[in-house]
Amino acid sequence: MSHDLSSPVVTALLPEVSALIVEALNLDVAAAEIDPDVSLFGEGLDLDSIDVLEVALVVSKRYGFQMQADDPNNETTFSSLRALTAHIANHRTV
C-alpha cells in the first residue's frame, strides 16, 4: 500500500520520525516544534549532507530498509519531514 503525504499513516508517524531526527542529530529544538512541511535544508532545519547521512543511517536501523546515497529521489525524499515520513511509511519493514 502506498501512502501519500496526507495519509493518516504518515500523519501518525510524523511525531516518531521528528523525535528520531532530533535525537540522532542532537538538535536544540523540540520534536513537536518541527514544521512537517518546512524544508529540512536551508531556511528550514538547516541540515547539511552529513546530517542527511546520519538520518539515513538511523532510519535504516529503526525501520528496516536501506536508504541509498545515490537514489535519484533523495532530493524529494529529504525535502521535508512529511516527505521523509511518507517515504518511511512506504518502505518500512518493521
Side-chain angles (χ1 to χ4, degrees):
M1 175 178 227
S2 181
H3 302 287
D4 66 26
L5 296 179
S6 60
S7 156
V9 172
V10 171
T11 301
L13 192 57
L14 278 168
E16 181 178 317
V17 175
S18 181
L20 188 69
I21 290 172
V22 168
E23 181 180 330
L25 301 178
N26 198 26
L27 299 178
D28 290 331
V29 63
E33 293 177 5
I34 298 175
D35 182 337
D37 299 308
V38 76
S39 175
L40 294 178
F41 298 96
E43 295 298 315
L45 280 183
D46 198 26
L47 302 185
D48 61 26
S49 58
I50 301 299
D51 295 329
V52 171
L53 290 174
E54 286 288 326
V55 169
L57 180 63
V58 298
V59 165
S60 294
K61 287 181 178 179
R62 172 67 179 91
Y63 298 105
F65 70 96
Q66 289 293 85
M67 299 188 79
Q68 302 297 321
D70 61 348
D71 186 328
N73 296 315
N74 278 343
E75 188 173 332
T76 302
T77 299
F78 286 95
S79 64
S80 69
L81 174 61
R82 187 178 305 278
L84 176 60
T85 303
H87 183 79
I88 292 168
N90 288 323
H91 294 90
R92 71 188 292 179
T93 61
V94 290

